[in-house]
Amino acid sequence: MKILKWIGISLASILFLMFIIPILFPGTISRQVKIFANQHLAGKLDYKKTQLTFFRHFPSLTVSVDDLLLQGSKPFQNDTLLMAKEVAVGINLKNLIFNREVKIDEIYVTDAYANVFVNSKGEANYNVYVSEPSKKPQDTTESGASIKLDLIKFKNWHIKYNDHAARVLVDAKGLNYTGKGGLSEDIFDLETNLDIDKLDFSLNRIYYAKEKKLHADLITRINTNALTFVLRKNELRINDLPLKFNGALSILKDGYNMDIKAASEKTTIREMISVLPPQYLDWAKDTKIEGNSDLYFHIKGRFSEPKNIKPRVKARLLVKNGFVSNGKAPVPMSNLNMDFNVDLPSLDPNQLAVNLKKLSFDLGPKNNFRAYVKTQGVNEMQVNANIKGAVDLQMLDQALGLKDIDIRGLIDTNIIANGIFSLDKKLFPKTDGYLNLKNGFVKTNYYPNPIQNINMVAHINNTDGTFRSLGVKMDPFSFDFEGNPVFVNADLQDFEDLLYKVKAKGVLNVGRIYKVFAKKGLDISGLIMADLSLNGRQSYATKGQYSKLDNRGTLILKNIKATTEYLPKSFYIKEGNFQFENEKMWFRKFFATYGKSDFALNGYLLNTINYFIERKGTLHGKFALNSNYILIDEFMALKSGDNTNKSIEVEYAKVENPKSSGVVIVPKNLDVSLEANAKKVEFKGLGLNHLKGTASVSTGQVYLKNTSFDIIGSRMNIDARYQNESPLTANYDIALKVQDFDVQRAYKEIDMVREMATAAKDVKGIVSLDYKLKGDFDKNMSPIYPSLEGGGIVNLRDVEVKNLKMLSAVGDNIGAKAFDNPDMKGVNIETHIKNNLIHVDKFTFKVSVLRPTISGTTSFNGLLDLQVRVGLPPAGWIGFPVVVTGTHDKPKIKVFSKTGQGIIEALYNKKSNKVIREEKRAAKKSRAEQRKQRDAQEQKAKNAEKQINKDLKKK
């Protein structure tokens, strides 16, 4: 009874303490946790409430924070880094009771989403932990919390790791993690238990794992001093595939150093197949699969992006005595054997070695396939291959039990190749082989009608290892689809100077063809009708021997949808009627739309056949382009649209700059001139009407020459050049002339006028402009003003200037009210622009009987450093100086002074398109120093204008 009594008292005491301790110490714990968070977190932290309890993670005393939201470090301070239903830290009870100190030794995070992001520049959002406390004076009575972790437990996490710099994506859903060990020690063993319901992993947008289930049982020795991880016991299971690995990983300042080996030995083919994409797993459930497999993987070396150092990767997959059979198959696939090896030194594709030592299988006694392929390198690839087999595709379909596709036909191939393949050196392996397909048939569940009567006889031959002896003959290649036969015959010889004979005839409903294979991208009603005969030699076109060419026939496109990786929307070719005449492909009738824009083309592309033959070929052509409306905004790379196949550079730029439009990207493989005639062109709300002129696209640049258009009631003439540098930046130069320009209308309707000529708001009337500029566009295709360089003349032909603050202030100081309404008609003002400063050459005008002359410097941000000489009657020969400093809104006047206060120019980095330093007021200097500085600035501006003139003449 006494024992029971003491047990009861003990239990009651423990329960009493469990209730009373959270009541006695809540202030201490709450204060010290806040101190810790403020000292050690750079990201913004928010939560709904906190609790101190024994019962959430019994028997630990935990401080729980509910509905926590932690935002990232700069420049991601507005983005979510961590969101969790509960974050709890376990408190060391002994330290709390006896020392009133908060020692954190456990962490629990439940129902969380972690969004880890690294942008293309290598900036990460997870740098929120500040290791050193703030150096600001602190209340020394608050000791704060400390961490000495023994346990980390994550429950039901979704972790997304998106690294644009490395082009890596990891997305783990349903993650549960338990980590045990002396995590706060310098060297400790971390015992890990990890389960993930669905894991995705991609590199360069290629998915190597999709919706995989993962279990890990690991012991890792961690050295926090050197940030080294030694893998001691590491067992993984990806779906049904077991994987063991060992090695070490060290985190360096500029990357990683690793030596990790992984292996899955003595497993079955079925277990190996379990890591295939999800769409294949249902097939595997209903198919008899036997045989053994082994997988080996090794990555070793240092990874450093700044130093361009990368590790070596080796992998090997072995499949032995495989057997695959669907229950209804008359003959199984048997004797499936494969030995596949990959070696990638320094992750360099040019050093890639692929060795398929063996790939073989049988489908009964008369159907078998054998392949051996070995390659070394990419740009200059050493090839050794032997492929031979005769397979009844219907028997293969039945043996594999393919559900969504029905294939038939007899395929027979025998290819032997040995030698070097190099496009640069025009080398091709010695080759002798053929590929024949008879009575082919393809039908899928996605479309009711099959592609049938597929026949192909293809021969390839090379006798000496060069392009000159390479021959490819395809006679015939034919098929039927929905009652429309298609025939293609091709004989290609001497790839060093290609001799070609090609005939193609038939009608393709490309939309429906794509629907057969459940592919999207082309309009469902799109048609291609071809009747072509192409006969000639590559050099006939390049040497101008057009009479020797015999290219003729027609190609008609209707309702075709097409995309390019650099444009956000799709082009719709409503109708395209093309006629081949020797070296030219004529656009006899071509009408297309792009969003709200429309295009009608008439002209030709030159040497199109060579474009498809040559490596990195360029399309040449000449066209007349007519359009009712072109909206430039739709072509900006980051605008929203229906195109889902954008380049990885555009995709990443859009993710990192979601509110930006980007710039227009110009194709680099076009050399085309256009006589353009557009009724209206619109750019960022600015309308250009009746545009006429010559446009050309060459080497990724757009040129406009002798181009004119109506803008805000005036006719403007321009020569211009434009080139994008990335999806986010571009550069341009422009020479423009405009007569009879309404100043007030320009100020109200054109953003650039408001930015560059703030004084124009006080000017009414008509001016003329002759100006040259070059500069950069930002990520919204707006001018970066500190990048501008150039100069020109503004003629105030018929203007009225009233109450210009700078002139009014001069008048107030010298007692001449006439400065409120000066006579500036016919005055020429010459200015030069560089580094956000506008340098004004001397110009003279009338103010009643006075003759003021103004020169000096102003800035786009409104700073003034102007010199005014007020010429007195009778002809202004005698005058007195006035200096104007301050700003446009608050000018400062000094009469009888020549000493102004200079403006230090802005600094702009053209490589990064960043303003390093904005312009600012200079320290006060002597007259001589100011005069010297002004002369130097004016000379710089004149030199810049001369350079622009040279650049434009070169174009």
Side-chain angles (χ1 to χ4, degrees), residues 142-324:
E142 301 286 6
S143 60
S146 63
I147 295 179
K148 191 174 183 180
L149 291 177
D150 294 314
L151 174 67
I152 297 177
K153 196 163 189 175
F154 297 160
K155 183 178 179 182
N156 192 28
W157 272 56
H158 176 191
I159 296 179
K160 189 173 183 179
Y161 174 78
N162 198 348
D163 189 333
H164 285 180
R167 299 188 174 184
V168 169
L169 172 65
V170 179
D171 195 350
K173 298 175 182 177
L175 181 146
N176 293 278
Y177 170 87
T178 300
K180 296 179 180 179
L183 280 73
S184 58
E185 302 294 333
D186 291 341
I187 301 175
F188 63 93
D189 284 344
L190 176 65
E191 298 180 20
T192 298
N193 188 277
L194 174 68
D195 286 284
I196 299 175
D197 292 337
K198 292 181 179 179
L199 175 67
D200 296 347
F201 170 74
S202 72
L203 177 63
N204 277 335
R205 293 195 299 189
I206 299 173
Y207 276 89
Y208 295 91
K210 191 77 172 175
E211 296 185 7
K212 299 304 171 201
K213 188 173 183 179
L214 184 142
H215 171 76
D217 186 9
L218 318 172
I219 297 178
T220 306
R221 173 151 290 180
I222 300 175
N223 184 336
T224 59
N225 292 323
L227 284 178
T228 300
F229 303 83
V230 179
L231 311 176
R232 303 183 69 190
K233 174 193 174 185
N234 293 278
E235 297 178 0
L236 283 179
R237 181 170 291 272
I238 305 173
N239 282 5
D240 297 327
L241 181 69
L243 190 66
K244 294 183 179 181
F245 59 96
N246 58 69
L249 169 68
S250 297
I251 300 178
L252 311 174
K253 287 184 178 181
D254 60 351
Y256 314 92
N257 193 20
M258 60 190 82
D259 185 0
I260 298 173
K261 294 180 180 179
S264 179
E265 299 178 290
K266 299 180 180 179
T267 56
T268 66
I269 297 176
R270 179 174 288 279
E271 290 171 332
M272 186 67 68
I273 286 175
S274 73
V275 302
L276 291 175
Q279 59 265 34
Y280 298 104
L281 299 184
D282 288 339
W283 161 79
K285 290 179 183 177
D286 302 327
T287 304
K288 186 177 181 181
I289 302 172
E290 297 176 353
N292 301 315
S293 69
D294 297 289
L295 176 66
Y296 303 94
F297 177 87
H298 187 197
I299 181 168
K300 182 178 182 180
R302 183 176 172 184
F303 179 90
S304 172
E305 191 71 32
K307 296 181 179 179
N308 195 28
I309 300 173
K310 296 180 181 179
R312 182 174 195 156
V313 173
K314 290 184 177 182
R316 185 183 188 189
L317 174 63
L318 289 169
V319 174
K320 301 176 184 177
N321 303 318
F323 179 95
V324 181

Side-chain angles (χ1 to χ4, degrees), residues 642-683:
D642 62 335
N643 184 10
T644 58
N645 298 314
K646 299 175 185 176
S647 73
I648 195 167
E649 292 84 5
V650 172
E651 180 184 304
Y652 282 175
K654 180 65 176 175
V655 171
E656 295 173 19
N657 303 272
K659 296 181 180 180
S660 299
S661 66
V663 299
V664 177
I665 296 178
V666 183
K668 290 181 172 56
N669 60 345
L670 287 180
D671 182 13
V672 176
S673 65
L674 301 162
E675 289 298 324
N677 187 346
K679 289 182 179 179
K680 184 173 184 179
V681 177
E682 193 171 343
F683 173 57

Side-chain angles (χ1 to χ4, degrees), residues 117 245 312 328 393 584 763 897:
F117 179 68
F245 59 96
R312 182 174 195 156
K328 300 178 182 178
L393 295 178
K584 293 177 180 176
V763 179
S897 175

Side-chain angles (χ1 to χ4, degrees), residues 467-470 491-502 534-551 582-583 607 609-611 613-614:
F467 270 30
R468 183 173 295 279
S469 70
L470 175 60
D491 188 358
L492 309 176
Q493 302 292 329
D494 184 6
F495 277 67
E496 200 165 290
D497 182 13
L498 186 65
L499 179 67
Y500 57 87
K501 294 180 182 179
V502 180
L534 308 176
N535 194 340
R537 186 179 281 276
Q538 185 179 352
S539 61
Y540 294 165
T542 56
K543 293 178 180 179
Q545 299 173 319
Y546 301 131
S547 60
K548 294 184 178 181
L549 292 171
D550 185 17
N551 300 325
N582 294 335
E583 79 279 11
N607 198 18
I609 296 173
N610 276 12
Y611 168 73
I613 294 172
E614 292 174 358

Side-chain angles (χ1 to χ4, degrees), residues 407-663:
I407 57 174
R408 305 172 196 169
L410 299 173
I411 189 168
D412 181 21
T413 184
N414 189 350
I415 299 173
I416 298 175
N418 193 355
I420 297 174
F421 174 73
S422 171
L423 288 171
D424 292 331
K425 296 182 179 180
K426 295 188 176 182
L427 300 175
F428 196 91
K430 292 181 181 179
T431 305
D432 185 19
Y434 65 84
L435 175 66
N436 296 341
L437 173 63
K438 295 181 180 179
N439 301 320
F441 177 101
V442 178
K443 183 180 180 301
T444 70
N445 292 343
Y446 310 112
Y447 195 74
N449 299 324
I451 303 171
Q452 56 187 347
N453 298 325
I454 307 170
N455 290 281
M456 181 173 67
V457 177
H459 291 267
I460 183 170
N461 183 264
N462 185 289
T463 57
D464 66 4
T466 68
F467 270 30
R468 183 173 295 279
S469 70
L470 175 60
V472 178
K473 191 172 184 180
M474 191 162 57
D475 187 15
F477 171 57
S478 62
F479 62 89
D480 292 345
F481 182 60
E482 295 193 325
N484 294 314
V486 176
F487 301 93
V488 178
N489 299 81
D491 188 358
L492 309 176
Q493 302 292 329
D494 184 6
F495 277 67
E496 200 165 290
D497 182 13
L498 186 65
L499 179 67
Y500 57 87
K501 294 180 182 179
V502 180
K503 290 184 178 181
K505 188 173 184 178
V507 178
L508 275 181
N509 190 321
V510 289
R512 295 180 185 177
I513 284 275
Y514 267 61
K515 203 169 182 181
V516 168
F517 300 100
K519 295 290 184 182
K520 298 178 181 179
L522 294 178
D523 187 79
I524 194 167
S525 60
L527 287 175
I528 298 178
M529 291 169 276
D531 188 357
L532 294 174
S533 176
L534 308 176
N535 194 340
R537 186 179 281 276
Q538 185 179 352
S539 61
Y540 294 165
T542 56
K543 293 178 180 179
Q545 299 173 319
Y546 301 131
S547 60
K548 294 184 178 181
L549 292 171
D550 185 17
N551 300 325
R552 61 184 184 274
T554 57
L555 180 68
I556 298 173
L557 308 181
K558 288 187 176 181
N559 299 321
I560 295 292
K561 174 184 175 184
T563 60
T564 171
E565 60 180 358
Y566 297 116
L567 289 176
K569 296 178 182 288
S570 302
F571 273 100
Y572 284 88
I573 303 174
K574 301 295 183 183
E575 184 173 2
N577 192 327
F578 309 100
Q579 184 174 350
F580 287 79
E581 289 183 358
N582 294 335
E583 79 279 11
K584 293 177 180 176
M585 176 181 175
W586 286 95
F587 284 52
R588 295 301 186 191
K589 192 175 182 181
F590 182 91
F591 182 73
T593 61
Y594 176 87
K596 297 177 181 178
S597 305
D598 63 83
F599 306 89
L601 288 174
N602 192 297
Y604 62 84
L605 285 174
L606 187 66
N607 198 18
T608 51
I609 296 173
N610 276 12
Y611 168 73
F612 293 105
I613 294 172
E614 292 174 358
R615 187 186 183 193
K616 300 178 181 178
T618 300
L619 274 175
H620 305 270
K622 187 174 183 179
F623 293 93
L625 182 149
N626 290 280
S627 174
N628 293 308
Y629 180 64
I630 299 174
L631 180 57
I632 302 294
D633 304 40
E634 295 182 310
F635 293 82
M636 297 178 190
L638 306 191
K639 285 280 189 176
S640 298
D642 62 335
N643 184 10
T644 58
N645 298 314
K646 299 175 185 176
S647 73
I648 195 167
E649 292 84 5
V650 172
E651 180 184 304
Y652 282 175
K654 180 65 176 175
V655 171
E656 295 173 19
N657 303 272
K659 296 181 180 180
S660 299
S661 66
V663 299

Side-chain angles (χ1 to χ4, degrees), residues 90-109:
I91 307 298
N92 186 296
L93 195 56
K94 178 183 175 183
N95 286 85
L96 178 65
I97 293 173
F98 295 106
N99 301 325
R100 298 185 67 87
E101 292 179 349
V102 177
K103 298 292 185 182
I104 299 171
D105 55 13
E106 298 175 349
I107 291 181
Y108 304 86
V109 186

Side-chain angles (χ1 to χ4, degrees), residues 741-809:
F741 207 51
D742 187 315
V743 179
Q744 276 300 298
R745 189 172 173 186
Y747 184 82
K748 291 175 182 177
E749 298 183 25
I750 303 177
D751 292 340
M752 198 169 183
V753 172
R754 288 196 297 274
E755 293 284 348
M756 293 181 63
T758 55
K761 68 180 178 181
D762 298 311
V763 179
K764 294 181 180 179
I766 303 300
V767 305
S768 297
L769 190 67
D770 187 349
Y771 224 85
K772 296 181 178 70
L773 281 173
K774 68 178 181 180
D776 295 333
F777 281 126
D778 66 12
K779 60 185 178 182
N780 290 305
M781 208 163 172
S782 297
I784 302 174
Y785 290 100
S787 75
L788 291 178
E789 295 182 31
I793 297 174
V794 179
N795 175 257
L796 309 181
R797 191 170 70 81
D798 186 10
V799 299
E800 181 182 289
V801 180
K802 280 190 176 182
N803 301 318
L804 183 62
K805 286 185 179 181
M806 186 270 290
L807 291 179
S808 296

